[in-house]
PDB file of all heavy atoms in Angstrom:
ATOM      1  N   ASP A 100       0.494   3.564 -16.504  1.00 85.00           N
ATOM      2  CA  ASP A 100       0.854   2.171 -16.750  1.00 85.00           C
ATOM      3  C   ASP A 100       1.517   2.002 -18.118  1.00 85.00           C
ATOM      4  O   ASP A 100       2.390   1.150 -18.298  1.00 85.00           O
ATOM      5  CB  ASP A 100      -0.376   1.267 -16.671  1.00 85.00           C
ATOM      6  CG  ASP A 100      -0.829   1.026 -15.235  1.00 85.00           C
ATOM      7  OD1 ASP A 100      -0.084   1.432 -14.308  1.00 85.00           O
ATOM      8  OD2 ASP A 100      -1.910   0.447 -15.027  1.00 85.00           O
ATOM      9  N   SER A 101       1.086   2.805 -19.087  1.00 85.00           N
ATOM     10  CA  SER A 101       1.618   2.668 -20.442  1.00 85.00           C
ATOM     11  C   SER A 101       2.845   3.541 -20.683  1.00 85.00           C
ATOM     12  O   SER A 101       3.437   3.507 -21.756  1.00 85.00           O
ATOM     13  CB  SER A 101       0.537   3.043 -21.464  1.00 85.00           C
ATOM     14  OG  SER A 101       0.164   4.402 -21.321  1.00 85.00           O
ATOM     15  N   GLY A 102       3.222   4.333 -19.671  1.00 81.00           N
ATOM     16  CA  GLY A 102       4.389   5.187 -19.822  1.00 81.00           C
ATOM     17  C   GLY A 102       4.152   6.398 -20.692  1.00 81.00           C
ATOM     18  O   GLY A 102       5.096   6.956 -21.253  1.00 81.00           O
ATOM     19  N   ARG A 103       2.898   6.845 -20.805  1.00 82.00           N
ATOM     20  CA  ARG A 103       2.582   7.969 -21.686  1.00 82.00           C
ATOM     21  C   ARG A 103       2.631   9.320 -20.978  1.00 82.00           C
ATOM     22  O   ARG A 103       2.263  10.333 -21.547  1.00 82.00           O
ATOM     23  CB  ARG A 103       1.186   7.786 -22.307  1.00 82.00           C
ATOM     24  CG  ARG A 103       1.103   6.651 -23.307  1.00 82.00           C
ATOM     25  CD  ARG A 103      -0.167   6.767 -24.154  1.00 82.00           C
ATOM     26  NE  ARG A 103      -1.370   6.679 -23.355  1.00 82.00           N
ATOM     27  CZ  ARG A 103      -2.069   5.571 -23.176  1.00 82.00           C
ATOM     28  NH1 ARG A 103      -1.649   4.434 -23.717  1.00 82.00           N
ATOM     29  NH2 ARG A 103      -3.177   5.569 -22.454  1.00 82.00           N
ATOM     30  N   THR A 104       3.060   9.361 -19.725  1.00 87.00           N
ATOM     31  CA  THR A 104       3.110  10.627 -18.996  1.00 87.00           C
ATOM     32  C   THR A 104       4.555  11.086 -18.825  1.00 87.00           C
ATOM     33  O   THR A 104       5.437  10.290 -18.514  1.00 87.00           O
ATOM     34  CB  THR A 104       2.457  10.487 -17.612  1.00 87.00           C
ATOM     35  OG1 THR A 104       3.091   9.410 -16.902  1.00 87.00           O
ATOM     36  CG2 THR A 104       0.982  10.191 -17.733  1.00 87.00           C
ATOM     37  N   ALA A 105       4.778  12.380 -19.046  1.00 89.00           N
ATOM     38  CA  ALA A 105       6.113  12.931 -18.835  1.00 89.00           C
ATOM     39  C   ALA A 105       6.394  13.108 -17.344  1.00 89.00           C
ATOM     40  O   ALA A 105       7.519  12.932 -16.882  1.00 89.00           O
ATOM     41  CB  ALA A 105       6.250  14.271 -19.549  1.00 89.00           C
ATOM     42  N   MET A 106       5.346  13.451 -16.588  1.00 93.00           N
ATOM     43  CA  MET A 106       5.464  13.613 -15.142  1.00 93.00           C
ATOM     44  C   MET A 106       4.118  13.277 -14.521  1.00 93.00           C
ATOM     45  O   MET A 106       3.073  13.701 -15.020  1.00 93.00           O
ATOM     46  CB  MET A 106       5.855  15.059 -14.795  1.00 93.00           C
ATOM     47  CG  MET A 106       6.045  15.310 -13.307  1.00 93.00           C
ATOM     48  SD  MET A 106       6.371  17.078 -12.943  1.00 93.00           S
ATOM     49  CE  MET A 106       7.927  17.318 -13.784  1.00 93.00           C
ATOM     50  N   ALA A 107       4.131  12.481 -13.475  1.00 92.00           N
ATOM     51  CA  ALA A 107       2.881  12.058 -12.854  1.00 92.00           C
ATOM     52  C   ALA A 107       2.997  12.095 -11.344  1.00 92.00           C
ATOM     53  O   ALA A 107       4.064  11.843 -10.781  1.00 92.00           O
ATOM     54  CB  ALA A 107       2.495  10.647 -13.306  1.00 92.00           C
ATOM     55  N   LEU A 108       1.900  12.459 -10.702  1.00 92.00           N
ATOM     56  CA  LEU A 108       1.795  12.452  -9.247  1.00 92.00           C
ATOM     57  C   LEU A 108       0.981  11.225  -8.880  1.00 92.00           C
ATOM     58  O   LEU A 108      -0.192  11.124  -9.249  1.00 92.00           O
ATOM     59  CB  LEU A 108       1.108  13.737  -8.771  1.00 92.00           C
ATOM     60  CG  LEU A 108       0.939  13.943  -7.267  1.00 92.00           C
ATOM     61  CD1 LEU A 108       2.288  13.981  -6.564  1.00 92.00           C
ATOM     62  CD2 LEU A 108       0.168  15.230  -7.010  1.00 92.00           C
ATOM     63  N   TRP A 109       1.612  10.282  -8.164  1.00 88.00           N
ATOM     64  CA  TRP A 109       0.965   8.995  -7.958  1.00 88.00           C
ATOM     65  C   TRP A 109       1.294   8.441  -6.583  1.00 88.00           C
ATOM     66  O   TRP A 109       2.316   8.783  -5.984  1.00 88.00           O
ATOM     67  CB  TRP A 109       1.418   8.012  -9.039  1.00 88.00           C
ATOM     68  CG  TRP A 109       0.439   6.909  -9.300  1.00 88.00           C
ATOM     69  CD1 TRP A 109       0.570   5.598  -8.946  1.00 88.00           C
ATOM     70  CD2 TRP A 109      -0.818   7.013  -9.953  1.00 88.00           C
ATOM     71  NE1 TRP A 109      -0.536   4.892  -9.349  1.00 88.00           N
ATOM     72  CE2 TRP A 109      -1.405   5.733  -9.965  1.00 88.00           C
ATOM     73  CE3 TRP A 109      -1.523   8.078 -10.524  1.00 88.00           C
ATOM     74  CZ2 TRP A 109      -2.655   5.483 -10.523  1.00 88.00           C
ATOM     75  CZ3 TRP A 109      -2.757   7.825 -11.088  1.00 88.00           C
ATOM     76  CH2 TRP A 109      -3.305   6.548 -11.091  1.00 88.00           C
ATOM     77  N   SER A 110       0.430   7.572  -6.089  1.00 86.00           N
ATOM     78  CA  SER A 110       0.672   6.901  -4.810  1.00 86.00           C
ATOM     79  C   SER A 110       1.069   5.450  -5.068  1.00 86.00           C
ATOM     80  O   SER A 110       0.834   4.911  -6.153  1.00 86.00           O
ATOM     81  CB  SER A 110      -0.581   6.954  -3.934  1.00 86.00           C
ATOM     82  OG  SER A 110      -1.660   6.271  -4.557  1.00 86.00           O
ATOM     83  N   TRP A 111       1.674   4.836  -4.053  1.00 86.00           N
ATOM     84  CA  TRP A 111       2.113   3.442  -4.198  1.00 86.00           C
ATOM     85  C   TRP A 111       2.087   2.754  -2.850  1.00 86.00           C
ATOM     86  O   TRP A 111       2.425   3.345  -1.827  1.00 86.00           O
ATOM     87  CB  TRP A 111       3.531   3.393  -4.771  1.00 86.00           C
ATOM     88  CG  TRP A 111       4.086   1.999  -4.914  1.00 86.00           C
ATOM     89  CD1 TRP A 111       3.795   1.086  -5.893  1.00 86.00           C
ATOM     90  CD2 TRP A 111       5.032   1.357  -4.055  1.00 86.00           C
ATOM     91  NE1 TRP A 111       4.506  -0.075  -5.700  1.00 86.00           N
ATOM     92  CE2 TRP A 111       5.272   0.062  -4.573  1.00 86.00           C
ATOM     93  CE3 TRP A 111       5.697   1.750  -2.895  1.00 86.00           C
ATOM     94  CZ2 TRP A 111       6.152  -0.838  -3.977  1.00 86.00           C
ATOM     95  CZ3 TRP A 111       6.575   0.851  -2.295  1.00 86.00           C
ATOM     96  CH2 TRP A 111       6.794  -0.422  -2.841  1.00 86.00           C
ATOM     97  N   ALA A 112       1.667   1.498  -2.861  1.00 81.00           N
ATOM     98  CA  ALA A 112       1.757   0.629  -1.690  1.00 81.00           C
ATOM     99  C   ALA A 112       2.476  -0.637  -2.131  1.00 81.00           C
ATOM    100  O   ALA A 112       2.297  -1.094  -3.270  1.00 81.00           O
ATOM    101  CB  ALA A 112       0.361   0.281  -1.157  1.00 81.00           C
ATOM    102  N   PRO A 113       3.325  -1.214  -1.284  1.00 82.00           N
ATOM    103  CA  PRO A 113       4.095  -2.393  -1.696  1.00 82.00           C
ATOM    104  C   PRO A 113       3.195  -3.556  -2.081  1.00 82.00           C
ATOM    105  O   PRO A 113       2.158  -3.790  -1.467  1.00 82.00           O
ATOM    106  CB  PRO A 113       4.941  -2.710  -0.459  1.00 82.00           C
ATOM    107  CG  PRO A 113       4.239  -2.043   0.678  1.00 82.00           C
ATOM    108  CD  PRO A 113       3.588  -0.831   0.111  1.00 82.00           C
ATOM    109  N   GLU A 114       3.615  -4.288  -3.115  1.00 84.00           N
ATOM    110  CA  GLU A 114       2.837  -5.429  -3.576  1.00 84.00           C
ATOM    111  C   GLU A 114       2.938  -6.620  -2.627  1.00 84.00           C
ATOM    112  O   GLU A 114       2.069  -7.488  -2.600  1.00 84.00           O
ATOM    113  CB  GLU A 114       3.296  -5.866  -4.972  1.00 84.00           C
ATOM    114  CG  GLU A 114       2.847  -4.941  -6.093  1.00 84.00           C
ATOM    115  CD  GLU A 114       3.862  -3.841  -6.371  1.00 84.00           C
ATOM    116  OE1 GLU A 114       4.836  -3.736  -5.606  1.00 84.00           O
ATOM    117  OE2 GLU A 114       3.675  -3.104  -7.357  1.00 84.00           O
TER     118      GLU A 114
END
Side-chain angles (χ1 to χ4, degrees):
D100 285 351
S101 63
R103 291 196 298 263
T104 55
M106 182 185 296
L108 182 61
W109 205 252
S110 62
W111 178 78
E114 286 90 353

